[in-house]
Amino acid sequence: MNTVTLKVSAKINLSLDVTGKYDNGYHEIESIFQSVGIYDTLTVTKLDSPEIVISCSDPDVPCDKRNIVYKAAELFFRETKIIGGAQIHIEKEIPSQAGLGGGSSDGAGVLYALNMLYDTGLYGRKLTELGGKVSADTAFFTVGGTAYVRGIGEEIQSIRYIPKVDMVIAKGASGISTPEAYSKIDRLVSPIHPETQKLLKAIDKGKFLSKCKLCQNIFEMVTDLKDVTNLKRQMMENGAMTSVMSGSGSSVFGIFPDKESAMKCADILKEKYPFATYCRAVPNSIIIE
């Protein structure tokens, strides 16, 4: 086997809270992550020479050492002590600066693909630990599904998978800087924290849809983008049961009672925003083509 093609999913935060800050400057979070059916496609090819070559369908994505994919591949060869290389092509569908984890997901996909190509046996916990050295979100994407996440994102506990929930995810033209968003969180006085534990119990009892209004995101308290406010409003006006920003922004997801109402809303939003799509919750982050 010299080439592997796989699809890697986006994720949303069904709940996201910042519960503290460590001495090293990292923030402590409490969150529920969910893989969703929006995918980048990666084609990874073995190279005999020790080089990492990246190409991407999106010209705005850097194809050098700034890309998480490069960092993931570099880490793989360093940790396994394999002298080899990889050519990696990314077909982007997951929007950037959206709070959907697209870059981290690509990183997890590359680790998975290289593990297959070089037959290194890094599955399960070993692959997750390696992903955690790339980024906290990359660690999640090696697991996927529905997960309760704590610490800086490295404490990942798989929980009961929510049903194949119908949803719409949309993003305006503006992005949000994650460091800037966390800086604003640090300046909050008496923030209102999401009820993550209540949402966890609802998911555990199989009652996610009836309790989906418990989906909340503390970063909405420091976000002043009109697109976020307008998207939330328009989703609710078009049948959403709830609508919440994902991650530090700037994408917004809406949970819908059925596919028909979700698709109708997605079609309306596509006329107004650069990214809007119908999708569903999915049980895995990585699909081998």
Side-chain angles (χ1 to χ4, degrees), residues 9-10 34-39 144-146 161-165 280-285 287:
S9 80
Q34 176 61 54
S35 301
V36 293
I38 305 170
Y39 299 94
T146 313
Y161 169 55
I162 67 173
K164 291 183 178 180
V165 175
R280 301 181 93 182
V282 295
N284 304 104
S285 288
I287 300 172

Side-chain angles (χ1 to χ4, degrees), residues 214-225:
L214 289 169
C215 291
Q216 299 165 330
N217 184 348
I218 195 171
F219 282 96
E220 288 188 14
M221 296 186 69
V222 298
T223 299
D224 54 8
L225 286 183

Side-chain angles (χ1 to χ4, degrees), residues 98 112 169 226:
Y112 197 94
I169 299 178
K226 288 184 179 179

Side-chain angles (χ1 to χ4, degrees), residues 127-141:
L127 195 67
T128 300
E129 288 174 357
L130 193 61
K133 294 180 181 180
V134 179
S135 77
D137 281 1
T138 298
F140 163 73
F141 283 114

Side-chain angles (χ1 to χ4, degrees), residues 128-188:
T128 300
E129 288 174 357
L130 193 61
K133 294 180 181 180
V134 179
S135 77
D137 281 1
T138 298
F140 163 73
F141 283 114
T142 66
V143 178
T146 313
Y148 177 52
V149 179
R150 297 190 64 190
I152 61 169
E154 85 288 4
E155 297 177 31
I156 304 164
Q157 177 186 347
S158 292
I159 59 175
R160 181 173 180 168
Y161 169 55
I162 67 173
K164 291 183 178 180
V165 175
D166 296 293
M167 62 181 72
V168 174
I169 299 178
K171 178 185 179 294
S174 302
I176 292 176
S177 161
T178 300
E180 183 181 340
Y182 273 103
S183 178
K184 289 180 178 179
I185 288 285
D186 291 338
R187 297 196 293 271
L188 283 176

Side-chain angles (χ1 to χ4, degrees), residues 239-282:
M241 300 165 72
T242 193
S243 182
V244 183
M245 187 175 78
S246 184
S248 59
S250 59
S251 69
V252 173
F253 68 89
I255 304 293
F256 288 78
D258 52 59
K259 182 177 181 178
E260 184 181 12
S261 59
M263 291 189 74
K264 184 177 178 181
C265 180
D267 288 340
I268 292 169
L269 295 178
K270 283 175 185 175
E271 299 295 322
K272 304 176 181 179
Y273 297 95
F275 181 84
T277 188
Y278 162 81
C279 65
R280 301 181 93 182
V282 295

Side-chain angles (χ1 to χ4, degrees), residues 23-155:
D23 291 339
N24 61 8
Y26 286 100
H27 290 79
E28 182 179 17
I29 68 165
E30 182 182 37
S31 185
I32 300 174
F33 283 24
Q34 176 61 54
S35 301
V36 293
I38 305 170
Y39 299 94
D40 286 349
T41 301
L42 303 181
T43 302
V44 184
T45 303
K46 245 179 170 180
L47 292 180
D48 293 330
S49 56
E51 58 182 333
I52 299 164
V53 181
I54 301 172
S55 58
C56 184
S57 62
D58 184 344
D60 293 331
V61 173
C63 292
D64 52 25
K65 292 185 178 183
R66 292 172 293 171
N67 195 309
I68 287 181
V69 160
Y70 190 100
K71 296 174 183 177
E74 191 175 47
L75 176 71
F76 173 86
F77 290 118
R78 184 168 67 247
E79 291 286 320
T80 59
K81 296 180 173 57
I82 290 172
I83 299 173
Q87 182 173 326
I88 304 158
H89 179 68
I90 310 165
E91 283 291 325
K92 288 295 292 182
E93 293 293 336
I94 304 171
S96 303
Q97 287 192 317
L100 299 175
S104 296
S105 182
D106 293 344
V110 164
L111 291 178
Y112 197 94
L114 291 175
N115 177 51
M116 290 181 66
L117 289 171
Y118 287 94
D119 195 23
T120 46
L122 296 172
Y123 294 102
R125 193 68 206 169
K126 289 181 180 179
L127 195 67
T128 300
E129 288 174 357
L130 193 61
K133 294 180 181 180
V134 179
S135 77
D137 281 1
T138 298
F140 163 73
F141 283 114
T142 66
V143 178
T146 313
Y148 177 52
V149 179
R150 297 190 64 190
I152 61 169
E154 85 288 4
E155 297 177 31

